[in-house]
Amino acid sequence: MSDTRRRVKVYTLNEDRQWDDRGTGHVSSTFVERLKGISLLVRAESDGSLLLESKISPNTAYQKQQDTLIVWSEADNYDLALSFQEKAGCDEIWEKICQVQGKDPALDITQDPIDESEEERFEEIPETSHLVELPPCELSRLEEIADLVTSVLSSPIRREKLALALMSEGYIKKLLGLFRVCEDLDNREGLHHLYEIVRGVLFLNKAALFEVMFSDDCIMDVVGCLEYDPALVQPKRHREFLTKTAKFKEVIPITDSELRQKIHQTYRVQYIQDIILPTPSVFEENFLSTLTSFIFFNKVEIVSMLQEDEKFLTEVFAQLTDEATEDSKRRELVNFVKEFCAFSQTLQPQNRDAFFKTLANLGILPALEIVMGMDDLQVRAAATDIFSYLVEFSPSMVREFVMQEPQQTDDDVLLINVVIKQMICDSDPELGGAVQLMGLLRTLIDPENMLASTNKTEKTEFLSFFYKYCMHVLTAPLLANTAHEKNSKDLQEGSAKINPVCPGALRFMRRIIGLKDEYYNRYIIKGNLFEPVINALLDNGTRYNLLNSAIIELFEFIKVEDIKSLIAHIVDNFYKALESIEYVQTFKGLKGRYEQEKDRQSQRLNRYRRDARSLDEDEELWFNDDDDDDDGEAVEKSRMEDDFSDSYGKYMEAKKGKLLLVLPQVQFSLPRLQHLQTAMVGLVDYPDDEDEEEEEEEEEEEQSPRKRPRLSS
């Protein structure tokens, strides 16, 4: 259909009192034989499927709100809404509903919502008693008006009748006129009554009243009435805040007056709901549901209007990335984009998709690459929040962008590397920003949300990129913290050499070994990475401290888990240096595991050993197959040696002073990386992980009854 008058969005109210978008289509009213009556039909504009089929019931209360909304309830806790693109289409359908129900289209509500108990009382009481008669709008009658408004809140019928009376007589504007008079006269009693009246009118929960109260010429007087809470000794100064402190800043001039008015209105109504109105009681919690809907639909409209104004957004991003833009201006621009993204969270998934795709097309990610590297802490914080919205929306979109960057820029200014550096260099003592960025980085390298297609694999491509361009940045602090200091002034002349093993490095190695992955194990063996760990244990001497406990736990884990390749490597190369340690049985246990495995292998070989000359061809084939099973691990180990040669050489260069760690790329599968994300958390699970004071360490230098001094290897 090309008729935009009948173009609508269908909404349903969920259990959290939030509106869910069910789709966009075109509405019509027609007789449906199956439902035996005139019904509202909405067919999706994408495929013509039926989004809504609802019979216009004679007893259903329909409400028209904000000129382009029709809201009704079909059953308990099942509210529906049609949001029209044009007012003319809303009026046409509203007239049809009123025609079916025999109501006047001039009204904004067709029925009084009556529950069973109210309906019974309605039948027993004369009709005239349900008509709400408003007292004259005079200063002397304010107390009477306040009592009337307060008394109707417990009755759905009387709330509806009062709302109609307030609308039909233009009563709201008369009350606000009295407010100005009372304030001029400093009539505190009258101002306290007006507070009760306006608060009660808000709790009537009627969109038609909100349209009047939140209009440009009324809303500040409404805020003024709400300043005079009788429970307060002095009135609040909400109007002063809204007019002087919270000034509206147009980072780029908004030429659309309707959009500007909508932004002002939404901010002020949100302020009324969040700041001015007290937290509603259990009895009152549903009284402001329409106010929440009012704000929701306003935000949807603001985002849609801004999104459609490509000239405005293009100018925003142009100034955001322009080097000539002043810092204060750039800060305002970043905060605007942040608020814009926050507003988008009110959108439904399909609308939010379109929103972020628009931002991506306008260059949001290149802009973030620039502003996240700036020195201004406020700009960086806002940019991080924007980045988090994008990562949560589509990690794949962010990955696709960063994988294209090396063709255009240096490694140091890649977006992912900027994120890593901000995480490492967070100046916040509580590391709030670092924790947020760590979570975003974890999401980006999480293999579970990486896509695979027939022509490419995101996992392979992104991890290859990450190891090539980003891993050295991520590991630089680890390598810097474990580098040897050749001229340490802390070591006394002639004292034993203390191996400077950092708990961060030991923790990282423990996490890798905890994966029980033979690929990593072979890398550890190839690099002889146990040597500095064992030297640190021996150099630590007889001291019982965190380092000692962590290293012992590392070897105990290897023993308990029976990691055969590591056990063989440790016993073959280091057992002579470790056999003197008897205060724990860990190393003797490793030796025992080693001997058991040797015996088992020997028995298996003897069992199948035959004279080679007596083996026929079939037997030899069988023997080779069996031998493959027994020695598969050794064959795999040999096959993988070549994979390490190049990377290991670069790694050894890094150990000599360079902060560059190049890890093998070909064989790194994603599940390994997933586990390593948490490598910086936790060392060992001992409750007393505190390092001893110097005095305690001096005492422990003496011979321990349970430990023997280190013997040189």
Side-chain angles (χ1 to χ4, degrees), residues 39-57:
S39 303
L40 298 177
L41 303 180
V42 179
R43 294 195 176 275
E45 63 180 2
S46 58
D47 57 8
S49 60
L50 194 63
L51 298 178
L52 175 70
E53 184 181 61
S54 174
K55 179 182 177 181
I56 302 176
S57 171

Side-chain angles (χ1 to χ4, degrees), residues 299-575:
K299 288 182 177 179
V300 171
E301 191 171 351
I302 290 171
V303 172
S304 299
M305 295 173 75
L306 285 172
Q307 187 177 338
E308 292 168 1
D309 191 344
E310 292 189 7
K311 182 179 179 181
F312 175 84
L313 291 178
T314 301
E315 183 65 20
V316 168
F317 286 105
Q319 292 196 25
L320 189 62
T321 55
D322 189 349
E323 294 182 359
T325 302
E326 296 180 358
D327 291 343
S328 58
K329 180 71 171 180
R330 183 175 282 106
R331 189 180 305 120
E332 293 174 359
L333 288 164
V334 173
N335 285 326
F336 166 77
V337 177
K338 174 187 171 183
E339 291 300 317
F340 194 29
C341 291
F343 266 36
S344 73
Q345 301 306 296
T346 63
L347 301 176
Q348 294 303 309
Q350 58 267 43
N351 297 336
R352 195 157 57 244
D353 289 354
F355 169 80
F356 281 112
K357 287 177 182 176
T358 299
L359 292 188
N361 293 334
L362 290 169
I364 181 67
L365 286 167
L368 285 179
E369 187 177 62
I370 295 174
V371 297
M372 287 188 74
M374 293 183 174
D375 295 330
D376 191 312
L377 293 177
Q378 293 184 11
V379 169
R380 289 211 311 257
T384 300
D385 289 337
I386 297 169
F387 185 63
S388 69
Y389 285 123
L390 295 171
V391 172
E392 290 171 7
F393 161 69
S394 176
S396 294
M397 180 183 74
V398 178
R399 293 189 198 105
E400 183 178 357
F401 168 77
V402 299
M403 284 191 290
Q404 296 171 356
E405 287 185 288
Q407 305 170 11
Q408 307 167 4
T409 185
D410 297 330
D411 290 2
D412 290 341
V413 293
L414 294 176
L415 179 58
I416 296 294
N417 287 345
V418 171
V419 170
I420 293 172
K421 290 175 182 177
Q422 294 297 334
M423 177 181 71
I424 293 171
C425 302
D426 187 13
S427 59
D428 182 3
E430 297 182 357
L431 299 178
V435 171
Q436 182 182 11
L437 290 170
M438 181 179 69
L440 297 175
L441 186 62
R442 180 179 300 174
T443 299
L444 288 174
I445 61 179
D446 181 4
E448 296 302 321
N449 61 36
M450 294 186 184
L451 304 176
S453 61
T454 55
N455 56 353
K456 68 175 184 178
T457 302
E458 187 182 26
K459 294 182 181 181
T460 302
E461 291 187 358
F462 183 74
L463 269 198
S464 297
F465 162 85
F466 188 80
Y467 280 115
K468 182 176 181 180
Y469 295 103
C470 307
M471 181 58 81
H472 65 282
V473 180
L474 183 62
T475 56
L478 182 66
L479 297 180
N481 209 14
T482 56
H484 291 267
E485 296 183 11
K486 297 180 180 179
N487 299 318
S488 177
K489 298 180 180 179
D490 297 332
L491 296 178
Q492 298 180 1
E493 186 177 354
S495 64
K497 177 184 177 182
I498 303 298
N499 192 294
V501 172
C502 172
L506 188 62
R507 184 184 302 127
F508 186 61
M509 186 171 182
R510 171 63 177 83
R511 181 69 65 177
I512 293 175
I513 292 174
L515 298 178
K516 296 186 289 186
D517 189 314
E518 278 304 302
Y519 183 81
Y520 290 126
N521 293 343
R522 286 191 291 271
Y523 191 89
I524 290 171
I525 293 169
K526 180 74 174 179
N528 197 26
L529 301 184
F530 274 109
E531 181 178 4
V533 176
I534 291 172
N535 283 340
L537 175 65
L538 299 176
D539 290 337
N540 192 58
T542 60
R543 285 172 292 188
Y544 295 99
N545 54 18
L546 177 64
L547 181 63
N548 176 274
S549 299
I551 295 176
I552 294 298
E553 191 276 337
L554 172 65
F555 287 107
E556 184 68 22
F557 176 82
I558 295 171
K559 182 193 77 173
V560 171
E561 296 297 327
D562 195 18
I563 305 176
K564 294 179 175 57
S565 59
L566 296 183
I567 292 174
H569 173 70
I570 294 166
V571 174
D572 285 341
N573 294 278
F574 305 107
Y575 186 69

Side-chain angles (χ1 to χ4, degrees), residues 600-601 604 622-635:
R600 189 176 69 85
Q601 294 292 345
R604 293 185 68 180
W622 170 84
F623 180 83
N624 288 337
D625 289 341
D626 185 70
D627 191 60
D628 285 343
D629 293 337
D630 294 336
D631 299 329
E633 183 177 328
V635 173

